[in-house]
């Protein structure tokens, strides 16, 4: 009933116009590296000051949906994930583009995003109060447990040597620790350099590792850009849609992981990685993941969008933003004098249900906008490498600079580029490095808070069934290579030894 | 992997690179552990010290890179795989060096002019394009970036004397 009222709010034609404008601006922001959803919403916030709060939040949330959709475009086409949650999309999306299946990869990415977000909106509509209560049970130990699970699943599920996964991951943690320690105020690993005070931003690392690293690798094979045969037309979209229902389990699992991580709030990034890892483990095509499997695009995209969308639930019901963009939206709400929390649903019914209704419609509009612009984006791949390569390098430099307005960051990006090239050739996985860089601070602070609570006693991680089961699952994931070896021996079949190469 | 260049002489083997990389990781790990101990890696009266978490991060990195290092040192395969061939390295360097110069030039000329020169150079040297094709791309791309970042999104990027001349 309330939702119907929300759709009534949307009946205002201007709100539909704002929706289209928001989505288009969002896609543009998502495509431009360095301008993520949170930045985009923050920059465009002043545009909405003259609107009613409902219209304003509709436009801002549509910018958010657009940015979520747009992130997949650069991931698939150039291997440059504009947002951390797009990193997992590059694993199979980019190889698909290299095989001339860019249109298929993009259609799969957009449709999966839509599916994930749609399920999350349904969840928000029906389960808001119940799940908000569950989120209240999350303390530092539970937060750390979720992060531990994400990291451990990399070690156990990765196709690379577990030692290489661990080494790369720890490098990410170490880089995340550089700079000012927010708890004690001490400087860590800055060695007297002012530039290192800021630490290393994941975005600069990601642009270097993936963007520049990819160009160097492509260059090794000469100037032939493998993706130039990419063709896209409505037939490709329809053909992809026909294939997608086959992966309904992956999509559903991704959405559930995403919703859970969005609400708790683990965030879209671990959600996308976890969903990818689970799909790789349980899919019949798991072994082929990373070579251009459409299922490898469906898994992270559904999870990322389900998480991105459901992150708005704790923001609306408890006033706790589940993602950086939700935090900026929260700032917007406060500017309009709306106090998020349980009372918002009572006092500002029109606003809340207008927003929820706009989530339904915004995602439909988003899908239409991005699918109709796919041919435009896919055609970029037909441009010869000697033209597109310098343009990508320039865009990477712009992206790296915009993060902190620091010239030094462009040089750091270049160093990460060379590192990415060497790591890829030696099969050091880049994803755990980036994830550790993104979540390092958060994981460290939840670990330290948990340790403070227990006075250094690790038993806090088994102090209740919730945290205990997550940590136990995480440890099982961590030691999965050893466990599977033991199971193999027990059954008498020669299991593959743990590779260290 | 296709080889466009006939020069297939190996510059360095995978094994050597594995050993060098693992050794570098071990050094980084030692630096992390040293600095963590410096700021305190134990338990103070008010809880974990600043180096508490990074110290163990360094320790895990040291152990895992140590395993990779030792296993590669022990693995004396008679025919080591090639990490990079001379022809490939030449191509990689032909992108890397102009990129380093581009980044250095940004500091003097600003990102827009540096980008125009970089795109023009890249297209002319590696793509062998005629000037009529180079000029529009080398001018329009930085211009589009300028309009988007400076005018639409009000995000300032590094500018040089040319932008100052036009009043930006």
């Amino acid at each position: 009933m309330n939702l119907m009222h929300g759709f009534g709010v949307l009946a205002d034609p201007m709100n539909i116009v704002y929706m289209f404008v928001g989505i288009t601006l969002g896609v543009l922001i998502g495509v431009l590296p360095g301008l993520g959803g949170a930045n985009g919403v923050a920059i465009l916030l002043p545009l909405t000051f003259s609107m009613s709060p409902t219209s304003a939040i509709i436009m801002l949330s549509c910018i958010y949906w657009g940015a979520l959709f747009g992130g997949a475009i650069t991931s698939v086409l150039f291997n440059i994930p504009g947002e951390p949650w797009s990193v997992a999309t590059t694993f199979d999306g980019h190889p698909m583009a290299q095989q001339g299946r860019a249109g298929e990869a993009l259609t799969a990415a957009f449709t999966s995003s839509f599916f994930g977000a749609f399920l999350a909106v349904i969840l928000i509509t029906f389960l808001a109060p119940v799940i908000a209560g569950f989120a209240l049970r999350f303390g530092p130990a539970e937060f750390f447990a979720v992060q531990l699970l994400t990291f451990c699943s990399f070690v156990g599920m990765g196709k690379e040597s577990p030692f290489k996964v661990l080494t790369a991951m720890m490098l990410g943690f170490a880089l995340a620790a550089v700079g000012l320690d927010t708890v004690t105020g001490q400087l860590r690993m800055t060695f007297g350099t002012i530039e290192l005070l800021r630490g290393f931003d994941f975005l600069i690392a990601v642009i270097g590792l993936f963007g520049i690293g990819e160009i160097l690798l492509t260059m090794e094979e000469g100037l032939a850009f493998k993706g130039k045969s990419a063709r896209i037309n409505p037939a490709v979209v329809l053909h992809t849609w026909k294939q997608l229902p086959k992966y309904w389990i992956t999509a559903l699992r991704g959405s559930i992981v995403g919703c859970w991580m969005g609400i708790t709030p683990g965030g879209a990034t671990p959600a996308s990685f976890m969903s990818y890892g689970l799909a790789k483990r349980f899919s019949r095509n798991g072994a082929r993941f990373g070579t251009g499997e459409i299922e490898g695009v469906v898994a992270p995209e559904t999870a990322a969008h389900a998480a991105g969308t459901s992150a708005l639930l704790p923001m609306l019901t408890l006033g706790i933003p589940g993602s950086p963009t939700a935090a900026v939206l929260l700032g917007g709400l406060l500017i309009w004098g709306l106090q998020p929390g349980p009372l918002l649903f009572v006092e500002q019914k029109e606003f809340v249900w207008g927003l929820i209704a706009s989530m339904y419609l915004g995602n439909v509009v988003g899908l239409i906008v991005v699918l109709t612009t796919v041919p435009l984006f896919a055609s970029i791949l037909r441009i010869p490498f000697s033209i597109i390569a310098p343009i990508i390098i320039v865009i990477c430099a712009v992206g790296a600079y915009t993060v902190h307005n620091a010239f030094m960051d462009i040089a750091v990006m270049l160093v990460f580029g060379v590192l990415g090239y060497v790591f890829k050739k030696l099969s050091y996985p880049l994803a755990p490095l980036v994830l550790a860089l993104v979540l390092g601070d958060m994981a460290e602070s939840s670990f330290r808070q948990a340790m403070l609570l227990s006075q250094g006693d690790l038993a806090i991680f088994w102090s209740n069934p919730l945290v205990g089961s997550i940590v136990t699952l995480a440890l099982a994931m961590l030691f999965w290579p050893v466990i599977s070896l033991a199971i193999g021996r027990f059954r008498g079949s020669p299991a593959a030894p743990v590779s260290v190469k | 992997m296709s080889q466009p260049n006939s020069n297939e002489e190996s510059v360095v083997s995978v094994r050597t690179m594995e050993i060098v990389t693992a050794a570098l990781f071990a050094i980084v790990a030692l630096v992390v552990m040293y600095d963590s101990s410096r700021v305190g890696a134990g338990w103070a009266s008010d809880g974990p010290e600043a180096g508490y978490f990074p110290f163990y991060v360094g320790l895990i990195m040291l152990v895992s890179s140590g395993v990779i290092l030792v296993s590669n040192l022990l693995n004396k395969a008679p025919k080591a795989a090639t990490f990079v061939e001379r022809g490939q390295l030449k191509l990689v360097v032909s992108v890397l060096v102009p990129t380093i110069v581009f980044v250095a030039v940004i500091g003097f000329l600003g990102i827009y002019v540096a980008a125009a020169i970089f795109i023009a150079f890249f297209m002319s040297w590696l793509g062998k394009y005629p000037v009529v094709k180079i000029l529009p791309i080398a001018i329009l791309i930085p211009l589009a970036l300028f309009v988007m970042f400076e005018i639409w999104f009000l995000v300032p990027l590094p500018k040089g004397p040319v932008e100052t001349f036009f009043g930006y």
Side-chain angles (χ1 to χ4, degrees), chain A residues 204-214 413 416-417 419-420 430 433-434:
Chain A
I204 291 149
V206 159
I207 293 171
L209 289 170
F210 291 88
I212 304 288
E214 181 65 23
M413 169 203 78
F416 273 110
L419 215 60
L430 299 181
L433 194 165
V434 174

Side-chain angles (χ1 to χ4, degrees), chain A residues 25 28-29 32-33 35 43-44 144 161-164 166-171 173-174 177 181 183-184 186-191 212 215-217 219-223 384-387 389-391 393-395 397-399 401-402 405 407 410-411 413-414 418 421-423 425-428 440 443-444 447-448 451-452 454-457 500-501, chain B residues 1-4 14 17-18 21-22 25 28 31-32 34-36 38-40 43 45-54 56-58 60-61 63-65 67-68 71-72 75 82-84 88-89 91-92 94-96 99-100 102-107 111 115 118-119 122-123 126-127 129 137 141 145 148-149 152-158:
Chain A
L25 283 173
L28 188 64
I29 282 164
L32 291 171
L35 280 176
I43 293 165
L44 297 172
F144 182 73
S161 139
F163 296 101
K164 284 192 172 171
L166 270 177
T167 310
M169 193 185 283
M170 293 307 134
L171 179 67
F173 275 120
D181 175 26
V183 181
T184 60
Q186 270 181 299
L187 293 179
R188 301 190 298 193
M189 287 176 269
T190 54
F191 307 105
I212 304 288
I215 286 180
L216 295 179
L217 273 177
M219 199 60 208
E220 222 179 42
E221 295 174 28
L223 288 165
F385 185 70
S386 48
I387 298 177
I391 296 175
I393 294 174
V394 167
I395 292 174
V398 169
Y401 181 83
T402 48
N405 284 347
F407 174 65
I410 309 179
M413 169 203 78
L414 212 53
V418 177
Y421 168 75
V422 175
F423 278 18
K425 293 207 80 172
L426 293 179
S427 311
Y428 276 92
E444 185 185 348
F447 180 73
R448 278 162 81 172
M451 285 291 98
L452 257 177
S454 69
Q455 284 302 303
D457 187 0
V500 283
K501 273 203 80 176
Chain B
M1 210 179 277
S2 63
Q3 301 305 325
V14 170
M17 280 306 283
E18 287 275 15
T21 314
F25 265 123
V28 172
V31 171
V32 171
Y34 164 77
D35 198 72
S36 303
R38 186 186 59 82
V39 294
W43 193 273
S45 55
D46 56 346
E49 288 182 301
Y52 184 76
F53 192 81
Y56 291 101
V57 162
I60 299 172
M61 203 203 294
V63 171
S64 50
S65 58
V67 173
I68 301 168
S71 70
N72 274 288
N75 174 24
T82 304
F83 179 78
V84 64
Q88 292 177 325
L89 188 67
L91 283 168
V92 171
S94 70
V95 176
L96 196 58
T99 310
I100 293 170
F102 159 62
V103 173
V105 168
I106 292 173
I111 206 161
F118 177 61
I119 294 171
F122 207 101
M123 285 179 68
L126 290 170
Y129 283 97
I137 296 173
I141 295 288
L145 286 174
M148 258 189 288
F149 281 92
W152 286 0
F153 294 123
L154 301 173
V155 177
L157 295 183

Side-chain angles (χ1 to χ4, degrees), chain A residues 345-367:
Chain A
F345 281 79
V346 184
E347 290 170 357
Q348 299 286 342
K349 256 187 187 168
E350 187 174 274
F351 168 79
V352 171
W353 290 104
L355 172 63
I356 293 175
S358 86
M359 290 180 186
Y360 282 97
L361 211 58
N363 271 298
V364 178
V365 171
L367 190 66

